[in-house]
C-alpha cells in the first residue's frame, strides 16, 4: 500500500531488534520534511464508534512461560544495519528475480513501516534486503519490472512479488525463520484478526478528524479497550505480536500530530495506551524505523492544513 515518499539524508547505523529497556528517545533526524499524499482505500469500511471487549483473558503459568520464551527470541537478535539511500528515477534497478529476497519500502510510509518492523523483529536483516523507493520520484522500472501496482511495501521472494501490508506481515511471519509473531491458539488468533480488520477503520476515523470530520476519541477508546483484554503483558495480545506492528506506525503519527496541532493527548485517561506506547518505544526493531516527530507533524500539516 502506498503512502509517503522520501529518502534519508545519509545512511545510518542502527541496532537490531531487542525488546528491552532503552532510553525513550527518537532516532536522529534522517528524513525530508515533505511528504506526498496518502493513497489507501478504506471508504467501504463502516465506522465503529463504540466497540467493547467484555472480559479480560487470564493465562496459566505454562502459557505465560511459552510467550516469554517467544519474546526472548526477539530480544536475542542482534544485527547492525546500514540503511541504503532511496532509489529514484535516476537509479538503476536491482537484479530482479536473481534469488535475492527484497523488501521494497519507502522510509516514510506507515504501511511499508509495518513490513519493515516485522522483518526487523524476526531478525531477518541478513535474509531480506531492504530496497527503499523514493515515491515522489519513483523509478519507472519499479512498476514495469517489480510491482505493477507501483506501491509499497512489496516483497520479492521465490520469483514472485507480493504486496499489501497486512498480507505481507503475515507472510513474512509464516514463511521465514525467527520468533512467531501471531498466536497459535484459536481464541487469540480470532481476536488478532478482529484487531487487524479494524486498522483501516481506525485510520480513517483519525484522519477524518484531522479535517474536522468527526472526533478521534472513539477510535482511541477502542484501542484502550482492546489493550485491556489480556493481563499477561502490555500489548494487544498480552505479548508483542503483529497486531502491535500493524498499529504502531499510525499511532506514532497520530499522537504527534494531535498533540501539536489539536493539543489533544491521546493517552490522557487511557493508561493502557500510554503503557503500550512506552513499551513499543523500547523495541529496537520498531525504533530504528521511526521518524522524528517534528517531521511527521510538518508533513501532515502540509496535507491537512487546508482543512484545519
Amino acid at each position: 500500500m502506498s503512502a509517503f515518499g522520501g529518502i534519508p539524508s545519509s545512511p545510518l547505523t542502527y541496532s537490531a531488534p531487542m525488546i528491552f529497556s532503552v532510553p525513550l528517545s527518537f532516532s536522529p533526524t534522517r528524513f525530508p520534511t515533505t511528504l506526498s499524499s496518502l493513497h489507501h482505500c478504506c471508504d467501504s469500511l463502516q465506522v465503529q464508534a463504540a466497540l467493547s471487549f467484555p472480559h479480560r483473558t487470564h493465562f496459566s503459568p505454562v502459557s505465560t512461560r511459552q510467550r516469554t520464551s517467544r519474546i526472548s527470541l526477539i530480544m536475542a537478535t542482534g544485527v547492525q544495519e546500514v540503511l541504503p539511500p532511496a532509489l529514484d528515477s535516476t537509479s538503476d534497478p536491482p537484479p530482479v528475480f536473481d534469488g535475492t529476497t527484497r523488501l521494497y519500502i519507502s522510509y516514510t510510509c506507515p504501511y511499508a513501516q509495518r513490513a519493515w518492523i516485522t522483518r526487523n523483529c524476526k531478525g531477518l536483516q541478513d535474509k531480506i534486503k531492504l530496497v527503499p523507493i523514493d515515491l515522489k520520484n519513483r523509478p519507472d522500472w519499479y512498476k514495469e519490472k517489480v510491482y505493477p501496482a507501483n506501491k509499497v511495501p512489496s516483497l520479492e521472494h521465490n520469483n514472485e512479488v507480493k504486496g499489501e501490508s497486512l498480507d505481507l506481515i503475515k507472510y513474512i511471519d509464516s514463511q521465514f525463520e525467527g520468533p512467531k509473531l501471531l498466536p497459535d491458539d484459536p481464541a487469540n488468533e480470532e481476536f488478532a484478526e478482529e484487531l487487524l480488520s479494524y486498522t483501516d477503520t481506525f485510520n480513517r476515523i483519525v484522519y477524518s478528524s484531522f479535517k474536522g470530520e468527526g472526533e478521534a476519541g472513539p477510535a482511541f477508546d477502542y484501542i484502550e479497550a482492546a489493550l485491556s483484554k489480556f493481563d499477561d503483558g502490555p500489548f494487544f495480545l498480552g505479548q508483542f505480536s503483529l497486531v502491535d506492528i500493524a498499529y504502531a506506525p499510525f499511532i506514532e503519527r497520530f499522537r504527534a500530530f494531535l498533540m501539536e496541532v489539536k493539543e489533544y493527548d491521546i493517552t490522557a485517561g487511557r493508561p493502557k495506551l500510554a503503557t503500550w506506547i512506552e513499551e513499543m518505544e523500547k523495541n529496537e526493531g520498531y525504533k530504528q524505523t521511526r521518524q522524528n516527530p517534528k517531521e511527521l507533524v510538518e508533513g501532515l500539516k502540509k496535507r491537512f492544513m487546508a482543512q484545519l
Side-chain angles (χ1 to χ4, degrees):
M1 301 181 185
S2 64
F4 308 128
I7 59 175
S9 57
S10 62
L12 297 176
T13 301
Y14 292 91
S15 300
M18 302 178 192
I19 303 179
F20 58 90
S21 180
V22 295
L24 301 184
S25 60
F26 286 88
S27 302
T29 301
R30 56 190 174 90
F31 295 99
T33 57
T34 59
L35 302 177
S36 61
S37 297
L38 177 68
H39 303 290
H40 181 55
C41 179
C42 55
D43 291 341
S44 63
L45 297 172
Q46 298 297 317
V47 175
Q48 302 176 37
L51 295 175
S52 62
F53 303 100
H55 62 277
R56 294 169 62 84
T57 300
H58 300 268
F59 289 91
S60 68
V62 172
S63 177
T64 301
R65 286 197 300 269
Q66 290 171 341
R67 284 167 165 251
T68 301
S69 176
R70 176 172 63 83
I71 298 304
S72 295
L73 290 173
I74 300 174
M75 294 171 62
T77 59
V79 177
Q80 294 293 322
E81 182 172 26
V82 176
L83 298 180
L87 302 181
D88 61 18
S89 62
T90 67
S91 305
D92 292 329
V96 180
F97 304 129
D98 64 346
T100 302
T101 300
R102 297 181 176 89
L103 177 62
Y104 296 87
I105 65 166
S106 165
Y107 283 125
T108 53
C109 169
Y111 298 100
Q113 190 177 357
R114 287 170 167 171
W116 185 8
I117 298 167
T118 304
R119 163 205 184 251
N120 292 351
C121 288
K122 289 182 73 71
L124 297 170
Q125 289 88 339
D126 292 334
K127 303 290 185 181
I128 300 178
K129 182 177 181 180
L130 279 185
V131 182
I133 300 294
D134 180 356
L135 296 182
K136 295 181 66 179
N137 186 24
R138 71 190 74 190
D140 292 338
W141 53 256
Y142 181 64
K143 179 178 181 179
E144 295 168 357
K145 297 183 178 182
V146 179
Y147 192 42
N150 207 22
K151 301 185 294 184
V152 296
S154 68
L155 182 72
E156 176 190 340
H157 182 233
N158 289 342
N159 293 318
E160 295 181 343
V161 177
K162 302 178 183 296
E164 304 301 322
S165 64
L166 292 180
D167 293 338
L168 277 189
I169 63 176
K170 293 177 183 178
Y171 182 85
I172 293 171
D173 187 40
S174 64
Q175 298 298 314
F176 292 87
E177 62 189 41
K180 187 169 175 56
L181 297 175
L182 270 182
D184 290 324
D185 58 290
N188 284 15
E189 185 176 1
E190 181 180 358
F191 188 56
E193 288 300 326
E194 178 182 345
L195 292 173
L196 291 172
S197 296
Y198 182 71
T199 55
D200 285 335
T201 299
F202 171 73
N203 295 339
R204 182 159 60 92
I205 293 172
V206 181
Y207 277 126
S208 294
S209 78
F210 290 0
K211 300 180 290 184
E213 300 172 0
E215 298 293 332
F220 292 107
D221 290 340
Y222 177 100
I223 298 300
E224 180 71 11
L227 288 167
S228 302
K229 183 175 176 64
F230 294 98
D231 65 358
D232 68 329
F235 301 102
F236 283 103
L237 303 182
Q239 299 300 312
F240 182 74
S241 73
L242 291 183
V243 178
D244 303 290
I245 291 172
Y247 281 94
F250 296 92
I251 292 179
E252 173 186 344
R253 287 158 174 78
F254 297 159
R255 183 191 185 198
F257 182 85
L258 289 170
M259 178 64 78
E260 180 166 327
V261 177
K262 303 282 191 176
E263 297 185 349
Y264 178 65
D265 181 1
I266 66 172
T267 66
R270 300 184 182 100
K272 298 291 185 180
L273 177 57
T275 299
W276 180 85
I277 290 171
E278 291 176 2
E279 294 301 317
M280 283 300 301
E281 288 177 344
K282 299 174 186 178
N283 182 330
E284 287 294 324
Y286 162 58
K287 185 179 178 182
Q288 70 183 33
T289 72
R290 298 174 67 198
Q291 282 195 73
N292 184 301
K294 291 183 179 180
E295 294 179 357
L296 287 175
V297 172
E298 289 306 309
L300 290 170
K301 279 182 178 179
K302 290 174 181 176
R303 289 179 50 208
F304 294 100
M305 189 61 73
Q307 290 85 19
L308 296 179

